[in-house]
Amino acid sequence: MKFVIFATVLALAAARPDKPSDEVTIVRDDRVYPSASGEYSLDFETSDGTHISESGDGTGPDGAVESQGTVRFVHPDGESFELKYVANAEGGYQPESDALPVAPEFPHEIPQFVLDQIAFAAREDAERDESE
């Protein structure tokens, strides 16, 4: 009987994980739910350093909700990431972050004959629309 108990304890000790848990817990969670005007906010942070903050209200056209916020976290390779954004009727979703790709500049000037052709096509389209 003692051997069975000893073997059980030994098996439990061998099955115990050696590395710390990858469990992430919520450290802070503050929320204000939408009011009659559509105003809301949320702000929470997790034990791994992830932080999300957002607020908004229904001040857009026809009561549309306009919001702004930030998202911060650390990639598994240790690099920090931060994104700020605004979402409104005037500009749509407008993210801002150093991590977002930037389109390269156009490699050369557009030749004049191409610009002339574009203008000619626009005039033809306008004339066609007027005759309809």
Side-chain angles (χ1 to χ4, degrees):
M1 181 66 174
K2 290 180 183 179
F3 178 73
V4 172
I5 294 172
F6 176 73
T8 304
V9 170
L10 183 63
L12 285 172
R16 181 186 60 116
D18 291 335
K19 66 178 185 171
S21 173
D22 290 336
E23 185 176 304
V24 177
T25 58
I26 295 176
V27 176
R28 185 171 43 116
D29 186 359
D30 299 323
R31 299 177 194 216
V32 174
Y33 291 98
S35 63
S37 67
E39 187 174 334
Y40 74 96
S41 68
L42 64 94
D43 193 17
F44 72 87
E45 189 172 352
T46 60
S47 59
D48 67 350
T50 299
H51 180 252
I52 298 176
S53 178
E54 180 176 302
S55 63
D57 54 41
T59 58
D62 298 323
V65 174
E66 297 185 328
S67 60
Q68 59 276 335
T70 59
V71 176
R72 287 191 305 260
F73 63 89
V74 178
H75 286 282
D77 65 1
E79 186 179 338
S80 294
F81 174 84
E82 181 172 7
L83 172 77
K84 295 180 182 182
Y85 60 91
V86 173
N88 58 29
E90 296 148 13
Y93 179 67
Q94 305 160 53
E96 184 181 309
S97 174
D98 292 338
L100 295 175
V102 177
E105 290 186 29
F106 200 69
H108 54 80
E109 289 187 35
I110 299 175
Q112 187 59 46
F113 74 90
V114 173
L115 296 173
D116 294 342
Q117 185 62 38
I118 292 170
F120 177 74
R123 281 192 308 272
E124 281 187 331
D125 288 344
E127 290 171 4
R128 185 189 65 226
D129 291 343
E130 287 175 4
S131 66
E132 291 179 358

